[in-house]
């Protein structure tokens, strides 16, 4: 099993550009989530989903959109990138439809906004 | 986030000594408390977790204790080894579906 796969691993954008960070899992997990990790601040929840067709906001949702059309995929969209969105982004998944289960993380996407 | 506070931010110990990292949380309804280890440039990986109906859990050299009344939980690593050097994160659930992470503790085990 591949587990949680994130693409791309690295990306550089200019301010105002848009892009989609991809996340896919092959463990049939219902719960998926996106975090950003900034130095000294741990991981902060951006958006999460408890199943296909269901998404909700986390701690820092502004500037990001998500959708969940299938159980396997949970893409994160930046509509108009800003330098403040420079960060490392992690996708995670867990079994069940609630968040109180062990999270399995992807390898992350390192994003720089110039 | 502010819902989970983690201390210390850095911890340096001699190989073979014990290391203790502490976290406090604000939501009395939190019921799941995982600990993650993150090596430089890698993904966070779960090392141990505890649920609110248990006071202590052990796995070889690693243990976690939970005090629900005081709303704090701690990670204990005994007989530390250089390969334990990493950043450790605690987390707590907010409601059913949200995780809040502590800001991390950089552990350095000196050989």
């Amino acid at each position: 099993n591949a587990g949680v796969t994130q693409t791309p691993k690295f990306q550089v954008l200019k301010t105002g550009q848009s892009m989609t960070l991809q996340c896919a899992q092959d463990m049939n997990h219902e719960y998926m989530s996106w975090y950003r990790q900034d130095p000294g601040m741990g991981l902060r929840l951006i958006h999460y989903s408890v199943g296909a067709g269901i998404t909700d906001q986390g701690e820092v949702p502004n500037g990001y959109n998500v959708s969940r059309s299938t159980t396997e995929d949970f893409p994160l969209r930046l509509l108009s990138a800003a330098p403040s969105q420079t960060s490392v982004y992690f996708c995670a998944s867990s079994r069940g439809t609630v968040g109180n289960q062990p999270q399995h993380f992807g390898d992350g996407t390192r994003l720089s906004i110039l | 986030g502010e819902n989970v506070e983690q201390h210390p931010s850095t911890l340096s110990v001699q190989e073979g000594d014990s290391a203790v990292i502490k976290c406090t949380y604000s939501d009395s309804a939190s019921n799941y408390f995982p600990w993650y280890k993150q090596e430089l440039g890698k993904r966070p990986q779960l090392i141990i977790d505890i649920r609110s109906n248990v006071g202590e859990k052990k796995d070889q050299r690693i243990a976690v204790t939970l005090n629900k009344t005081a709303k704090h939980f701690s990670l204990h690593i005994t007989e530390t080894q250089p390969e334990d050097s990493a950043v450790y994160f605690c987390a707590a659930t907010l409601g059913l579906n949200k995780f809040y992470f502590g800001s991390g503790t950089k552990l350095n085990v000196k050989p």
Side-chain angles (χ1 to χ4, degrees):
Chain A
N1 284 345
V4 179
T5 303
Q6 290 185 238
T7 56
K9 294 191 186 305
F10 303 93
Q11 184 71 48
V12 179
L13 292 178
K14 294 181 179 178
T15 298
Q17 286 185 316
S18 63
M19 82 159 293
T20 299
L21 279 63
Q22 301 291 344
C23 175
Q25 52 88 13
D26 61 0
M27 297 174 282
N28 202 31
H29 285 170
E30 293 290 339
Y31 184 94
M32 295 185 75
S33 54
W34 277 102
Y35 295 87
R36 60 177 289 173
Q37 185 174 31
D38 302 298
M41 298 190 73
L43 294 104
R44 291 184 291 168
L45 181 64
I46 303 172
H47 286 285
Y48 67 93
S49 168
V50 298
I54 306 169
T55 64
D56 206 345
Q57 295 181 348
E59 185 182 3
V60 287
N62 292 340
Y64 307 96
N65 281 351
V66 292
S67 60
R68 185 92 179 271
S69 56
T70 67
T71 299
E72 294 77 21
D73 300 297
F74 190 43
L76 178 72
R77 296 185 189 85
L78 283 71
L79 298 178
S80 178
S84 61
Q85 294 177 305
T86 293
S87 189
V88 180
Y89 291 84
F90 286 99
C91 178
S93 73
S94 62
R95 64 181 177 85
T97 56
V98 294
N100 60 351
Q101 299 293 335
Q103 304 262 309
H104 300 260
F105 284 86
D107 286 333
T109 294
R110 189 174 297 274
L111 183 62
S112 293
I113 316 294
L114 305 177
Chain B
E2 61 186 24
N3 294 284
V4 178
E5 292 192 4
Q6 183 172 345
H7 299 282
S9 57
T10 59
L11 180 60
S12 189
V13 300
Q14 206 67 41
E15 182 178 358
D17 288 349
S18 295
V20 180
I21 303 170
K22 299 180 179 180
C23 288
T24 59
Y25 60 97
S26 59
D27 185 4
S28 57
S30 295
N31 60 7
Y32 177 61
F33 308 90
W35 285 90
Y36 288 86
K37 176 183 180 182
Q38 187 178 31
E39 297 176 349
L40 190 62
K42 306 279 187 172
R43 70 177 79 179
Q45 292 197 302
L46 180 75
I47 54 171
I48 196 168
D49 57 6
I50 192 169
R51 297 192 180 273
S52 57
N53 57 348
V54 175
E56 182 174 0
K57 185 176 179 181
K58 220 172 183 179
D59 183 4
Q60 299 183 339
R61 296 187 297 108
I62 295 173
V64 56
T65 57
L66 172 65
N67 183 327
K68 285 177 57 180
T69 303
K71 290 191 282 188
H72 67 71
F73 57 112
S74 300
L75 177 70
H76 305 254
I77 306 174
T78 59
E79 300 172 26
T80 54
Q81 301 167 4
E83 50 265 39
D84 293 330
S85 295
V87 179
Y88 291 81
F89 292 97
C90 63
T93 51
L94 181 68
L96 282 178
N97 293 320
K98 296 182 181 181
F99 272 97
Y100 279 81
F101 281 79
S103 54
T105 297
K106 186 174 182 181
L107 175 64
N108 179 34
V109 180
K110 296 177 284 186

